[in-house]
Amino acid sequence: METMRKVFRYAAFLFILTITSCASNKTAENSSQNKTTSPIHEVESNTLSLLFAGDVMAHSVNHNITKYDKIWNDVRNYIENADLAFANIESPVDQTKPVSSYPNFNLPRRYVEAAIDAGFDVFSLANNHSFDQFEKGIAETIRTAEEITKKYADEGKHVYFSGLKNKKGDPYTYNIIEKNGWKILFLPVTGILNYPHDQALINYVHTSEKSHREFVEYCKKLRAENPCDLFVISMHADEPEYKREVLKRQRDFYLQLLEVADVVWANHAHIIKDREFVFESESGRHKLIMYANGNTISAQRIQPTFDLSTPMSERDHTGDGLLYSVQFVKTKPGKTRYNTEGKPEYSVQIKKAEPIFITTYINTAWEFVLKPLNQDFVDYLKDVKRNDWASYIERRIKVNSEQTKDLITWQ
């Protein structure tokens, strides 16, 4: 089978598809064995929009803000527009311990709730910082996630967390999400750990060919047992930080995962990397790899390179993030049916995809807030006479448009 790779720009990435409609109403289930029963009425649709962010982190200066909600004010409209929005929480959330930053992070509960209030629904808890507060921190993070899930369910909103285990020897934790007539299987894992002994309580996949083969087989079994329209795997990658290069072994593994999954959403690099669409000619299915969406919020960039004669540093790149908006469509009308592998009998395709670049801006009160990385923001900065920031953001727009790209692979 001939494979063709090409780069395309997103002036308009649109596939012309047959659009039909269906009808039924379903509730959501959290696969950490917690069922939600809030009376949310959802209209079934043959399209589903997902938004994928990057790492939600907090260094010390991120807490020097009057209200955490303020972080999200200027980007929340992008997040709220999605049917489901995904993010990686790169920290424990242990309410019994003080807030802390690198190298042993600990987030306050309200920081996570501010992200939910901004529109996020689904969170991975599996990454190299999951064990920063040790075994008790794992248990407390699970407890906090359960409390948050219940709080928002009582308010009529479903929120999902997975990636951590209650006790050693437990299987991987995952979510089964039902939204607008779609069933989504979400499995977060990490391929990298900061502590050699912390893997027993985290969804962890060792970086080796044998472990990768075994994980692919596990994923096949999981999908067969949980038939779904979309299978999303979050991979916290075992890769160098701050580098845009995609490792061959990494890409090969993700392509293996796409034999069973529909989306591989990777992070860890703390900078934005390429995206790759895989179109299967035989099945008609469209699949997607995101190699890294960068930092959604952090303070790794505290000294932007304003000097136009100085090249951008690795730290400059950590201040930008990608919100990747993807719209999926069912290509056949009627109730979805699944085959023996748990996959839909009719192909699910990508109707539209849009990269939304954002940046962490330090305002005059020395607060770290998110802004769209676009010309409107540049014009605002010029109006308020922050010309150093205006020139800097113009450079950042250029960097991200030139150094990250979207690829298509036909199979």
Side-chain angles (χ1 to χ4, degrees), residues 141-208:
T141 300
I142 293 172
R143 184 174 69 84
T144 300
E146 290 173 346
E147 290 176 356
I148 291 173
T149 300
K150 183 179 185 306
K151 170 192 170 181
Y152 282 91
D154 290 344
E155 296 174 1
K157 176 179 173 64
H158 294 316
V159 182
Y160 306 88
F161 300 85
S162 56
L164 303 180
K165 305 176 184 180
N166 282 299
K167 61 181 183 296
K168 296 176 182 179
D170 279 357
Y172 290 128
T173 57
Y174 54 89
N175 301 112
I176 300 172
I177 304 164
E178 296 195 5
K179 183 72 176 180
N180 297 351
W182 291 68
K183 183 176 287 188
I184 303 98
L185 174 60
F186 175 61
L187 171 64
V189 296
T190 183
I192 185 169
L193 302 170
N194 287 349
Y195 298 89
H197 56 280
D198 64 356
Q199 66 187 59
L201 295 172
I202 303 171
N203 285 4
Y204 171 65
V205 179
H206 180 65
T207 302
S208 69

Side-chain angles (χ1 to χ4, degrees), residues 3 45 52 125 128 139 148 197 210 226 251 285 358 361 374 387:
T3 300
S45 172
F52 298 92
L125 298 173
N128 59 307
I148 291 173
H197 56 280
K210 180 176 182 292
N226 299 278
R251 179 174 181 267
R285 293 183 69 81
I358 61 173
Y361 169 61
N374 58 25
N387 293 323

Side-chain angles (χ1 to χ4, degrees), residues 300-345:
Q300 286 190 293
R301 181 181 69 191
I302 59 173
Q303 294 181 318
T305 305
F306 290 137
D307 185 353
L308 295 177
S309 64
T310 303
M312 293 286 189
S313 69
E314 290 178 342
R315 290 289 166 169
D316 285 292
H317 302 322
T318 66
D320 299 337
L322 175 67
L323 304 178
Y324 206 58
S325 175
V326 187
Q327 188 176 75
F328 294 88
V329 63
K330 296 177 182 178
T331 59
K332 296 289 182 179
K335 186 177 180 180
T336 304
R337 296 190 296 273
Y338 305 98
N339 62 22
T340 56
E341 296 176 338
K343 299 178 183 178
E345 290 184 354

Side-chain angles (χ1 to χ4, degrees), residues 229-388:
D229 300 293
L230 292 173
F231 185 5
V232 178
I233 296 177
S234 169
M235 173 60 66
H236 208 75
D238 181 9
E239 62 178 355
E241 295 180 318
Y242 319 121
K243 305 297 181 186
R244 294 200 197 275
E245 178 190 6
V246 175
L247 303 178
K248 182 181 182 302
R249 64 166 170 79
Q250 182 182 12
R251 179 174 181 267
D252 289 347
F253 178 38
Y254 296 170
L255 289 175
Q256 290 178 50
L257 290 175
L258 288 190
E259 294 175 11
V260 59
D262 300 283
V263 176
V264 174
W265 166 49
N267 281 296
H268 179 63
H270 299 300
I271 65 171
I272 303 166
K273 299 172 72 169
D274 294 343
R275 286 76 58 190
E276 182 172 3
F277 294 87
V278 178
F279 298 152
E280 297 179 346
S281 57
E282 184 174 344
S283 69
R285 293 183 69 81
H286 296 173
K287 302 189 175 188
L288 171 63
I289 300 170
M290 290 160 282
Y291 287 102
N293 288 3
N295 287 333
T296 299
I297 181 64
S298 78
Q300 286 190 293
R301 181 181 69 191
I302 59 173
Q303 294 181 318
T305 305
F306 290 137
D307 185 353
L308 295 177
S309 64
T310 303
M312 293 286 189
S313 69
E314 290 178 342
R315 290 289 166 169
D316 285 292
H317 302 322
T318 66
D320 299 337
L322 175 67
L323 304 178
Y324 206 58
S325 175
V326 187
Q327 188 176 75
F328 294 88
V329 63
K330 296 177 182 178
T331 59
K332 296 289 182 179
K335 186 177 180 180
T336 304
R337 296 190 296 273
Y338 305 98
N339 62 22
T340 56
E341 296 176 338
K343 299 178 183 178
E345 290 184 354
Y346 302 120
S347 61
V348 173
Q349 298 183 342
I350 296 171
K351 179 182 179 183
K352 185 178 180 181
E354 180 185 5
I356 303 162
F357 295 101
I358 61 173
T359 195
T360 300
Y361 169 61
I362 307 171
N363 65 22
T364 54
W366 197 250
E367 296 174 325
F368 287 63
V369 296
L370 294 174
K371 299 285 186 179
L373 195 59
N374 58 25
Q375 189 60 43
D376 287 344
F377 182 42
V378 174
D379 294 341
Y380 161 80
L381 291 167
K382 290 178 179 178
D383 288 343
V384 297
K385 308 303 182 186
R386 296 204 82 183
N387 293 323
D388 52 353

